[in-house]
Amino acid sequence: MENLFNDPAFWMMVVFIGTLAIKVPIAVALGFAALAIVWVWDMGIGMLSLNFFAGIAKFPLLAIPFFILAGYIMEKAGIAARIINLMEALVGERTGGLAMAAVAVCTFWGAVSGSGPATVAALGLVLIPGMANAGYDKAFAASTVAVTSGLAIVIPPSIAFIVYGGITDVSVPALFAAGFLPGLVVAGFILAAVALISRRRGYHGVKRTRPIRQIFRESFWAIMTPVVILGGIYGGIFTPTEAAAVTVFYGLFVGIFIYKTIRSLNDLLEIFGQSVRATAVVMIVVTCAGLFSWVASTVGLIEKGSSLLLSLSDNQYVLLFLINIILLIAGMLLDAISIYYVFLPFMIPLMAHFGWDPIWFGIVMTVNLAIGQVTPPVAVNLYVAAHISKLSMEEISRSCIPLIIAAIMALAVLIIFPEISTFLPKALGLA
């Protein structure tokens, strides 16, 4: 016991959990825990500044602000509205058609935006009121958008995959390729749940008022967005980071010259302001979480944590089950980026020990975190959906339960059949 109280790894976890318990912001809790241990154990306070900048001075991470900026540009350019019109035209006449269209739109928008909350913000302003006006329960509408928007971090391009690749040194293009099929599998399960609920509640379809050819023609430039992004990456034209920059210019071109929805300098300043604020939130978490991970590795916390997990069971399937439970619980308390930096270092030795494919594990972990975006108390997608719908978190949370169950069932399928995640990277020669 005396050795435990003298162990910096033990006190690091105590400080981190203690600061979280008194509702200190996650980034501050991570940074303060690292700073406290370095200060008390005299590990070289000057090293913190070096590691602070080293944590963000990575070329792949440059894609994060670009993709965030691209997401806001796409929203302002009217690309989201045109994709919504197209999906509603394709499936809106079916029973529960608007709910199914919402799932399809959020899934498609995942190929444009790498952020779940940004997807809810971009699409929820149109989808939630539209479904409510058509007779859908507003809580059901909000939960459909919130849960499906979590796929934005699974379907490429994904900010989550960029962070995962940076920590594990796994190819980001390979992770992008791996995210396609799993994202569609999760979307399929959610779509089935939405269709069943809509049928049981008697939600009717909405008749199309314009020819599908006209709607498709209006949506052409919007549909081309993921083609430009992903076609360029897999065609070897540019890297994911360069693709993020290309996406910004493509969105500006469409918004200014094609749809003409970005009309003034004030529009651009508004977009840039929103992007700067969102980027600052993400990057401060990345830097503080990077400090936490470095100090945790230095004091031996990562090795002790991995050894503790291995001591629980020698059976890889039992351990994999426990890891998924831990990640689902962590998703209720921490944001996705913090979870990567806090928990992934513990998982890397386990991947090596059991020979797990890091690409497959990255997909499993990211789907877990996508579910975490709609599981309270830290449910960022639900907070955005609640703000848009003007409903309470409790009202939306109850409606989310069937959809979360569907997503967990899809996660189980991805765990049982790793080939779903690894097929495309291998077929494209990326794995």
Side-chain angles (χ1 to χ4, degrees):
M1 183 64 71
E2 184 178 346
N3 289 336
L4 183 65
F5 287 135
N6 291 326
D7 188 350
F10 168 76
W11 285 109
M12 188 172 188
M13 289 306 299
V14 169
V15 172
F16 174 57
I17 295 172
T19 49
L20 282 182
I22 58 175
K23 298 184 178 180
V24 171
I26 294 168
V28 177
L30 289 165
F32 180 74
L35 174 63
I37 297 305
V38 170
W39 179 268
V40 173
W41 268 267
D42 195 20
M43 295 168 57
I45 198 73
M47 291 297 294
L48 288 180
S49 60
L50 297 175
N51 280 276
F52 186 89
F53 288 107
I56 56 173
K58 298 176 181 177
F59 183 71
L61 292 183
L62 190 60
I64 294 176
F66 276 122
F67 276 127
I68 290 174
L69 175 59
Y72 283 107
I73 290 173
M74 299 293 175
E75 177 191 355
K76 190 69 174 179
I79 289 175
R82 285 162 176 81
I83 293 173
I84 290 171
N85 291 338
L86 178 62
M87 295 302 176
E88 288 180 352
L90 292 174
V91 298
E93 294 185 350
R94 297 174 175 268
T95 300
L98 286 183
M100 297 169 68
V103 174
V105 170
C106 293
T107 303
F108 186 91
W109 195 252
V112 176
S113 169
S115 166
T119 300
V120 179
L123 304 178
L125 289 170
V126 178
L127 289 172
I128 295 173
M131 292 173 66
N133 292 336
Y136 288 76
D137 176 66
K138 185 180 277 189
F140 172 68
S143 64
T144 299
V145 173
V147 174
T148 315
S149 293
L151 292 176
I153 68 170
V154 179
I155 296 176
S158 164
I159 292 173
F161 286 154
I162 294 170
V163 174
Y164 179 91
I167 296 172
T168 59
D169 288 328
V170 173
S171 164
V172 173
L175 290 167
F176 279 10
F180 270 114
L181 294 180
L184 294 177
V185 168
V186 179
F189 273 80
I190 296 173
L191 187 66
V194 162
L196 290 173
I197 293 171
S198 297
R199 187 180 299 275
R200 191 176 72 240
R201 297 183 181 180
Y203 294 142
H204 300 293
V206 178
K207 187 173 180 60
R208 189 168 61 241
T209 57
R210 292 188 297 159
I212 186 67
R213 183 179 299 178
Q214 179 186 352
I215 298 172
F216 181 82
R217 188 167 56 248
E218 292 175 355
S219 308
F220 173 77
W221 290 95
I223 297 170
M224 287 298 294
T225 305
V227 176
V228 170
I229 300 171
L230 302 173
I233 294 173
Y234 298 125
I237 301 173
F238 37 67
T239 66
T241 303
E242 293 165 343
V246 170
T247 306
V248 169
F249 286 100
Y250 178 83
L252 288 173
F253 172 77
V254 173
I256 295 172
F257 299 107
I258 305 298
Y259 295 149
K260 299 180 180 179
T261 49
I262 300 176
R263 299 186 180 92
S264 66
L265 180 61
N266 286 337
D267 289 338
L268 288 175
L269 292 177
E270 180 185 352
I271 292 169
F272 293 148
Q274 292 172 327
S275 302
V276 167
R277 286 191 292 270
T279 300
V281 171
V282 173
M283 297 310 288
I284 193 65
V285 173
V286 168
T287 52
C288 290
L291 286 179
F292 182 91
S293 181
W294 169 70
V295 176
S297 176
T298 303
V299 300
L301 178 60
I302 291 173
E303 291 79 2
K304 292 171 184 175
S306 301
S307 300
L308 176 62
L309 287 172
L310 285 171
S311 69
L312 297 176
S313 175
D314 291 330
N315 188 308
Q316 63 172 321
Y317 301 107
V318 172
L319 200 56
L320 190 59
F321 175 78
L322 293 174
I323 288 172
N324 278 276
I325 296 297
I326 291 170
L327 290 175
L328 286 171
I329 294 173
M332 299 179 183
L333 304 171
L334 301 170
D335 66 279
I337 292 175
S338 299
I339 291 173
Y340 279 125
Y341 278 97
V342 173
F343 288 93
L344 191 51
F346 296 98
M347 309 300 177
I348 292 174
L350 301 182
M351 282 190 270
H353 180 80
F354 290 111
W356 293 336
D357 190 316
I359 293 176
W360 164 76
F361 190 82
I363 298 299
V364 170
M365 188 172 186
T366 304
V367 172
N368 265 289
L369 303 187
I371 296 171
Q373 291 186 332
V374 286
T375 49
V378 181
V380 286
N381 286 12
L382 288 192
Y383 279 115
V384 179
H387 175 72
I388 292 172
S389 62
K390 295 179 172 57
L391 295 172
S392 68
M393 287 283 288
E394 290 75 15
E395 290 174 296
I396 301 179
S397 297
R398 284 193 294 271
S399 292
C400 282
I401 293 173
L403 306 185
I404 292 173
I405 292 172
I408 292 174
M409 291 171 62
L411 174 62
V413 170
L414 298 177
I415 293 171
I416 296 170
F417 301 103
E419 298 81 8
I420 298 174
S421 302
T422 58
F423 171 74
L424 273 181
K426 290 179 179 177
L428 295 172
L430 299 171

